[in-house]
Amino acid sequence: MERRHFLRASVGFACCAAGVEVVALAAPRRIAVEARKFQFTPSEITVRKGETVTFVLTSVDFPHGFSLPDFGVRKDLIPGMVLEVTITPANAGRFHYLCDNFCGDGHDRMSGILVVA
Amino acid sequence: MDGIDRREFIKLAGFGGLVFASGLPGCAHLAGPGGGDFHFLQLSDLHWGYNIASVNPDFAGTLPKAIAAVNSLDQKPDFVVFTGDLTQTTDDPKLRRARMQQVREMTSKLNVPKVWYFAGEHDAALDRGEAYQETFGETLRYTFDHKGIHFIVLDNTSDPAPILGEKQLEWLRADLAKLSRDQPIVVLTHRPLFSMYPQWDWATRDGQAAIDLLMPFPNVTVFYGHVHHENHHRTSHIAHHSALSLMFPLAPVGTVEKKTQVPWNAAAPYKGLGYRDVGAGPRREATPLEIPVKA
Ligand SMILES: [Cu+2]
Ligand SMILES: [Fe+2]
């Protein structure tokens, strides 16, 4: 159930006649991912199956791409900007992320692995 | 001449040893008297300047070997086309130009009526094709017609993105609009147009848009490079054939986790390196035949 991923929080007004319950999103774990010629840091990320995580993406030196094809995610990382991507992996496995903007002579090895355990 | 005859022929023509057909339907005609059929060669992914000896200790000799083999053919191809990654990329623009110049000099020794070139991302992505166009004097995309076939060269590498882009798709749309539906078409490009394996950057982001434009034409074949191993795929009726490299093989998807250059095997030197002979004609599907580099 989706609702399992939510934190239930009471509004805190015990006298509220309507008994309204506010359902707030649990803050997903935030994982910083930095791109620079020619690597991602970290180059391996481990998350739990069903865990919602937010990647906080930055680039140091080039409009690197951040592509995570198995999750339909791809972004251009413009140096100086911060981008966030949130996913909730449903299946365990090892998934590639890579720079998909040709960035120089180490481009072909600029990739990482997302491990969903 | 059927496929077997053609294999036999190529043996006799001086390749010797093992030549394997791709196992695809359709026969592989050679230029035949009066038939209008012909053949051309696809050489791909030269990566000149690459120098990792554990993968290819003969990094300086493999391309010259292939050129010599082509020149020893009795049955000359009508043309040779180089489908990108002529050079190994470098961040140094001077070295990039030097490598291209060397490729140009070496390939000028090809004793064939015509040589076509176009760029791969290693050649063009870091400067939008500037050094490439300076050296080879070709535009990044173009068309030509040969013996009843319309050839279309698509550029999916000079934008680092890598995309064909709206402008090029518009250009393609306009070009196709001039053709009748039964016009046989061969598309030459560097990256796969279909989404082969974007996890390893084996794709063109908007490649499907080009495939969609080509769909109304019943006779379309795509020859490309980039993935450094032989792969045959169909999107509906359109055939897509990837070529071997003349510098280093890459392992196919499913055999390794990360994109991997296949190490040199001393017991089978040059294994996985080669080029391609394509039999073509206006009344049949263009058919590839892979030719390994011989020790
Ligand atoms: Cu390539
Ligand atoms: Fe290549």
Side-chain angles (χ1 to χ4, degrees):
Chain A
M1 256 299 277
E2 280 294 313
R3 285 174 71 88
R4 279 214 296 273
H5 301 303
F6 290 83
L7 266 191
R8 282 160 191 250
S10 134
V11 207
F13 298 124
C15 60
C16 178
V20 175
E21 183 185 57
V22 170
V23 178
L25 209 52
R29 181 153 67 103
R30 294 168 68 79
I31 300 169
V33 181
E34 183 193 81
R36 70 167 70 225
K37 293 179 182 178
F38 296 101
Q39 60 182 355
F40 289 104
T41 309
S43 60
E44 187 168 313
I45 300 170
T46 302
V47 304
R48 290 187 317 277
K49 188 175 140 181
E51 178 187 5
T52 297
V53 289
T54 296
F55 299 123
V56 183
L57 307 168
T58 54
S59 168
V60 175
D61 51 10
F62 186 88
H64 295 286
F66 177 83
S67 177
L68 182 58
D70 295 291
F71 293 82
V73 169
R74 92 147 303 281
K75 299 282 177 199
D76 292 312
L77 310 183
I78 310 301
M81 283 175 56
V82 181
L83 281 180
E84 297 194 359
V85 168
T86 300
I87 61 165
T88 307
N91 299 305
R94 295 170 64 81
F95 305 98
H96 295 272
Y97 53 94
L98 68 150
C99 169
D100 64 351
N101 289 336
F102 196 88
C103 57
D105 57 22
H107 166 75
D108 282 338
R109 59 176 187 272
M110 189 166 168
S111 65
I113 299 273
L114 171 68
V115 182
V116 179
Chain B
M1 207 182 275
D2 67 15
I4 304 293
D5 285 342
R6 186 155 182 264
R7 282 202 296 279
E8 212 46 54
F9 171 85
I10 285 168
K11 260 194 218 172
L12 296 169
F15 289 104
L18 177 73
V19 171
F20 51 97
S22 60
L24 285 164
C27 51
H29 285 253
L30 284 171
D37 280 1
F38 66 98
H39 70 134
F40 68 90
L41 303 182
Q42 178 188 6
L43 277 61
S44 200
D45 293 271
L46 318 178
H47 286 265
W48 191 253
Y50 176 96
N51 59 5
I52 300 176
S54 58
V55 173
N56 186 351
D58 193 24
F59 53 79
T62 307
L63 175 60
K65 245 170 146 42
I67 291 171
V70 170
N71 285 341
S72 73
L73 281 171
D74 285 345
Q75 187 81 34
K76 273 197 197 315
D78 281 19
F79 61 85
V80 168
V81 58
F82 288 94
T83 54
D85 283 359
L86 309 169
T87 59
Q88 178 71 12
T89 202
T90 164
D91 293 342
D92 175 357
K94 269 180 73 178
L95 184 56
R96 184 178 311 137
R97 283 167 173 78
R99 287 178 181 176
M100 286 191 188
Q101 203 49 53
Q102 287 161 10
V103 169
R104 189 157 174 88
E105 276 156 28
M106 282 184 293
T107 57
S108 71
K109 300 197 175 81
L110 277 167
N111 183 17
V112 296
K114 173 71 188 167
V115 180
W116 298 100
Y117 300 89
F118 60 89
E121 78 282 358
H122 276 253
D123 308 306
L126 293 181
D127 65 3
R128 303 235 166 206
E130 194 185 303
Y132 168 78
Q133 290 179 88
E134 257 174 54
T135 313
F136 291 93
E138 306 265 24
T139 50
L140 293 163
R141 58 168 191 252
Y142 53 90
T143 66
F144 61 95
D145 292 278
H146 189 81
K147 294 186 178 169
I149 296 185
H150 187 60
F151 289 82
I152 304 174
V153 172
L154 293 179
D155 164 25
N156 48 16
T157 63
S158 70
D159 188 316
I163 52 168
L164 295 158
E166 256 321 305
K167 242 176 100 179
Q168 181 168 213
L169 288 167
E170 200 42 61
W171 171 87
L172 176 61
R173 195 174 289 120
D175 182 64
L176 295 174
K178 291 180 276 184
L179 307 176
S180 73
R181 284 291 187 253
D182 59 353
Q183 170 64 55
I185 296 170
V186 168
V187 174
L188 303 166
T189 192
H190 181 69
R191 289 170 166 268
L193 292 179
F194 67 98
S195 190
M196 186 182 186
Y197 199 58
Q199 290 85 341
W200 288 355
D201 205 17
W202 288 356
T204 302
R205 256 175 245 166
D206 55 359
Q208 187 58 44
I211 294 173
D212 291 344
L213 292 173
L214 291 160
M215 275 302 286
F217 296 85
N219 185 351
V220 180
T221 311
V222 183
F223 295 99
Y224 65 103
H226 189 59
V227 302
H228 296 214
H229 69 280
E230 197 190 337
N231 181 278
H232 307 285
H233 179 80
R234 274 179 200 267
T235 54
S236 180
H237 64 283
I238 300 177
H240 305 255
H241 306 290
S242 67
L244 301 173
S245 164
L246 281 168
M247 187 56 88
F248 58 89
L250 288 168
V253 172
T255 61
V256 285
E257 181 175 56
K258 288 206 156 195
K259 186 161 69 179
T260 302
Q261 300 179 358
V262 180
W264 185 258
N265 178 355
Y270 304 99
K271 188 166 189 245
L273 303 177
Y275 54 101
R276 162 176 286 163
D277 195 340
V278 180
R283 284 170 307 282
R284 58 194 202 77
E285 187 177 322
T287 310
L289 180 71
E290 315 307 327
I291 303 171
V293 173
K294 291 288 295 168

